[in-house]
Amino acid sequence: MKLLKPILFFVYLFPFITACGQGHNKAFTREDSLRGKITPEREWWDLKYYELRVKVSPPEKAIAGSTTVFYEVLKPYQTIQIDLQPPLQIEKVTQDGQELSFKKDGSNAYMISLKKAQVKGKNESIVVTYSGKPIVAKRPPWDGGFQWVKDKAGNDFVATSCQGLGSSAWWPCKDHMYDECDSMLISITVPKNLTDISNGRLRKTTENADGTKTFDWFVKNPINNYGVNVNIGNYVHFDEIFEGEKGKLTMDYYVLPENLEKAKEQFKQAGMMMKAFEHWFGPYPFYEDGYKLVEVPYLGMEHQSSVTYGNGYKNGYLGRDLSGTGWGLKWDFIIIHESGHEWFANNITYKDVADMWIHESFTNYSESLYTEYYFGKKAASEYVIGTRKGIRNDIPIIGSYDVNKSGSGDMYPKGGNMLHTIRQILNNDDKWRQILRGLNKTFYHQTVTTQQIEDYLSKNVGRDLNKVFDQYLRDVKIPVLEYSVEKNKISYRWNNCVEGFDMPVKVTVDAGKEEFIYPTTTWKTIKGKSELKADENFYITTKLVSK
Ligand SMILES: [Zn+2]
């Protein structure tokens, strides 16, 4: 890690996306569709509630348990798709106590035949029992699954992560992002010397006769699949109350005993984060479930209401500044970035991972907004501009739909810079903040498409931004503002851009006052003698040409 150069650093940060990039031209299979599409066997039922019960056995690296899936029938259909990835296996499925038969389609999809007639509007449930040794995470959180390690004292330290891979890597579920349960029980049984921290609030703990202990966590809000997590360790706890926009918010911290003092210092940034992000994005979206920051053996992940942390109690990204400006060392990347996802990922969630920019571009930009809140606008601009060195412009940011395929890792720094550019077009900081808050209000606890977010931004910025989104999300070219000088006239136009690209840009002519110009792909002219200089906050390049 230490020797990685900045560009490799981003590769390390987002390797599963890099892997997608390498496989960009591969043909998709039925297996990909079963994973990524709203299949007929998914479409007919609306997920309401999950009861997940899992016993975790660290010595065997094995799990066993059940998911009870509660759903409403949207239209009559007699086959239900539930996903579970090998080596785990579904053992039994029942409805109303009656055992059901099932067939596997591909390696993950179980097509279960329902005996009882499924009547529109009725609420039903099935119980899915399963067991086995789940996929072991190779490089969590990017290459996820179960991670089994020991802490320094020799206690088991176990955690799950599964974005991209899918939550069916460790529990049976409807493994598609479009449909979230409204609430969820997560009941985890572990050896009694250990503690499980999952999402939401702890309802009860039960000591079992077999030397285990069960932790019942309850999530009162909709939660996406990959947000659900298990963290098992010899945790110690401290907490605080945050006085926020919706009243008192509990903030609970769980860390290994040897890190308690460091955590008490470093996690002061969690409250600072909450203050800055409520300012920019509106109230924390999960007051009912509280906010937790939980130490894990990997870098971190945006698990809803139990954000996981493994950044070594250091500022920056594992002690480094991804922007190269110094501002990234003023705060802890994992506390800020992963918590930013509570608004963009957990509150507003993509329906299809192809639209993952909705999570990562806004959250990347949240790093800059945090910087702005505490260090000012200039610092924030320097930060977001600094992150451009990580942009590769390899493949488009938007991935492939219906096959569980995200686009370029550029969704982080380039997406952040696209949002920063849109903010410059708007040229009204207060309104910009209202837009960010408005997004979180309008799409509160919803799953969305890129079109919904693009339309909202166009409407509220007061300008058709279609071409801007096409340029930065669906193309890899960076627009060039070309200009040429003749006597008292400067000609300018957009080049190296999508057809019809018409983004306004703030410039100075001959080092004079800042003004907006409205270039298109055909030449326009403005009075001037020597130079056209674009505001560097716009993610574009400028080039002097001879016509
Ligand atoms: Zn992220």
Side-chain angles (χ1 to χ4, degrees):
M1 281 303 297
K2 234 175 186 170
L3 298 171
L4 290 174
K5 293 195 176 90
I7 185 78
L8 289 175
F9 212 21
F10 268 95
V11 174
Y12 188 78
L13 182 50
F14 322 119
F16 77 86
I17 293 159
T18 310
C20 295
Q22 285 157 358
H24 193 53
N25 296 321
K26 90 163 197 179
F28 293 111
T29 61
R30 173 164 174 78
E31 190 83 30
D32 297 321
S33 300
L34 284 166
R35 174 70 181 84
K37 205 177 166 184
I38 304 171
T39 59
E41 291 76 18
R42 283 177 174 145
E43 194 187 14
W44 66 272
W45 54 284
D46 179 28
L47 175 61
K48 293 290 182 192
Y49 173 59
Y50 281 129
E51 268 181 24
L52 172 63
R53 298 177 193 280
V54 191
K55 184 174 177 181
V56 180
S57 310
E60 292 84 33
K61 297 188 170 63
I63 63 174
S66 65
T67 308
T68 308
V69 184
F70 294 79
Y71 62 92
E72 184 188 333
V73 180
L74 299 176
K75 60 180 180 194
Y77 206 85
Q78 293 301 126
T79 309
I80 187 167
Q81 177 180 349
I82 293 294
D83 308 285
L84 185 68
Q85 298 179 31
L88 291 172
Q89 282 195 344
I90 291 181
E91 289 160 1
K92 194 167 91 169
V93 186
T94 61
Q95 182 157 56
D96 298 343
Q98 270 202 307
E99 196 162 338
L100 303 175
S101 64
F102 51 79
K103 272 204 302 253
K104 271 184 89 172
D105 193 346
S107 60
N108 307 340
Y110 287 74
M111 299 299 182
I112 301 157
S113 300
L114 299 163
K115 289 182 183 165
K116 185 181 174 184
Q118 303 293 302
V119 179
K120 188 182 170 185
K122 279 263 166 83
N123 287 300
E124 302 287 355
S125 65
I126 54 170
V127 184
V128 183
T129 309
Y130 76 110
S131 66
K133 294 189 175 189
I135 294 168
V136 175
K138 289 187 200 78
R139 195 157 63 147
W142 308 283
D143 201 346
F146 254 83
Q147 187 182 12
W148 311 89
V149 298
K150 303 255 187 202
D151 69 12
K152 278 183 190 151
N155 299 299
D156 287 300
F157 193 22
V158 178
T160 60
S161 56
C162 59
Q163 189 182 20
L165 174 67
S167 47
S168 57
W170 67 275
W171 56 286
C173 59
K174 185 183 208 174
D175 203 355
H176 195 292
M177 293 289 286
Y178 85 101
D179 195 5
E180 293 187 354
C181 58
D182 302 339
S183 58
M184 181 164 179
L185 173 77
I186 305 159
S187 176
I188 307 297
T189 300
V190 300
K192 72 171 182 213
N193 61 315
L194 301 172
T195 300
D196 170 66
I197 311 299
S198 290
N199 316 74
R201 291 190 189 277
L202 186 64
R203 269 197 170 166
K204 65 170 183 181
T205 57
T206 312
E207 300 254 2
N208 306 306
D210 63 353
T212 62
K213 198 170 173 181
T214 302
F215 294 80
D216 282 2
W217 293 89
F218 194 80
V219 183
K220 278 197 174 173
N221 288 299
I223 181 167
N224 67 50
N225 284 340
Y226 80 82
V228 177
N229 75 152
V230 159
N231 305 292
I232 301 163
N234 179 33
Y235 285 117
V236 291
H237 167 249
F238 62 102
D239 60 10
E240 64 178 312
I241 298 289
F242 177 78
E243 302 283 347
E245 290 194 11
K246 266 176 80 175
K248 290 186 192 310
L249 172 66
T250 56
M251 298 184 73
D252 290 89
Y253 308 110
Y254 296 89
V255 299
L256 295 181
E258 64 259 35
N259 294 324
L260 182 61
E261 291 317 309
K262 275 189 274 183
K264 280 183 173 172
E265 192 54 38
Q266 192 74 359
F267 288 4
K268 284 178 183 164
Q269 293 185 41
M272 292 174 69
M273 169 281 298
M274 200 56 79
K275 194 157 188 245
F277 287 167
E278 284 210 329
H279 168 83
W280 286 112
F281 302 145
Y284 175 71
F286 309 105
Y287 268 69
E288 304 77 8
D289 293 323
Y291 170 89
K292 298 189 290 297
L293 196 56
V294 186
E295 181 174 349
V296 288
Y298 61 90
L299 183 59
M301 181 48 75
E302 64 257 30
H303 296 120
Q304 182 174 313
S305 73
S306 57
V307 172
T308 49
Y309 178 89
N311 199 32
Y313 302 96
K314 281 190 287 232
N315 279 357
Y317 176 94
L318 290 170
R320 289 178 184 78
D321 175 9
L322 296 181
S323 77
T325 61
W327 295 114
L329 293 176
K330 298 285 185 189
W331 39 267
D332 186 312
F333 182 91
I334 294 299
I335 296 176
I336 304 310
H337 178 97
E338 305 306 340
S339 302
H341 277 307
E342 293 281 31
W343 286 264
F344 292 97
N346 297 337
N347 188 34
I348 305 175
T349 308
Y350 56 67
K351 279 189 197 293
D352 191 308
V353 73
D355 291 336
M356 192 170 164
W357 79 273
I358 298 166
H359 294 196
E360 298 303 346
S361 302
F362 282 97
T363 302
N364 174 280
Y365 197 56
S366 79
E367 299 158 23
S368 176
L369 293 170
Y370 180 87
T371 307
E372 182 166 342
Y373 191 82
Y374 288 105
F375 304 101
K377 201 170 162 178
K378 188 167 172 283
S381 287
E382 286 171 11
Y383 178 81
V384 67
I385 291 168
T387 63
R388 286 179 194 166
K389 68 187 169 69
I391 299 173
R392 283 173 285 158
N393 288 313
D394 51 353
I395 55 168
I397 283 176
I398 290 192
S400 306
Y401 290 100
D402 294 334
V403 286
N404 193 43
K405 195 59 127 185
S406 52
S408 172
D410 283 348
M411 69 178 82
Y412 295 76
K414 185 179 173 183
N417 273 283
M418 176 188 77
L419 293 172
H420 190 57
T421 300
I422 291 171
R423 177 181 177 176
Q424 311 311 314
I425 299 169
L426 176 65
N427 201 30
N428 180 334
D429 286 348
D430 187 53
K431 201 163 176 207
W432 177 243
R433 182 178 155 225
Q434 294 313 324
I435 286 174
L436 297 172
R437 292 175 68 98
L439 278 165
N440 276 284
K441 213 171 156 182
T442 305
F443 302 108
Y444 182 71
H445 290 178
Q446 287 180 30
T447 61
V448 299
T449 62
T450 189
Q451 205 54 54
Q452 287 174 279
I453 301 301
E454 290 177 36
D455 290 349
Y456 184 92
L457 287 170
S458 281
K459 183 167 170 258
N460 289 280
V461 167
R463 187 178 176 88
D464 182 353
L465 297 170
N466 265 323
K467 297 293 174 189
V468 176
F469 292 120
D470 284 349
Q471 185 70 60
Y472 292 102
L473 297 178
R474 299 181 179 88
D475 197 286
V476 295
K477 296 193 292 282
I478 295 308
V480 179
L481 179 64
E482 290 185 343
Y483 73 99
S484 75
V485 185
E486 302 140 90
K487 285 189 182 163
N488 294 324
K489 192 176 80 171
I490 293 178
S491 304
Y492 60 88
R493 70 166 183 186
W494 286 122
N495 201 356
N496 197 46
C497 56
V498 297
E499 209 184 315
F501 187 65
D502 58 353
M503 186 173 80
V505 59
K506 204 189 268 178
V507 296
T508 51
V509 179
D510 300 344
K513 254 184 36 187
E514 278 192 331
E515 60 184 304
F516 270 98
I517 56 171
Y518 298 84
T520 63
T521 51
T522 54
W523 292 101
K524 290 184 176 182
T525 57
I526 191 171
K527 264 193 191 169
K529 287 186 174 144
S530 60
E531 192 196 28
L532 190 69
K533 196 162 180 265
D535 181 344
E536 63 172 0
N537 288 297
F538 287 80
Y539 179 44
I540 60 165
T541 56
T542 311
K543 194 176 169 194
L544 175 64
V545 297
S546 41
K547 260 170 75 183

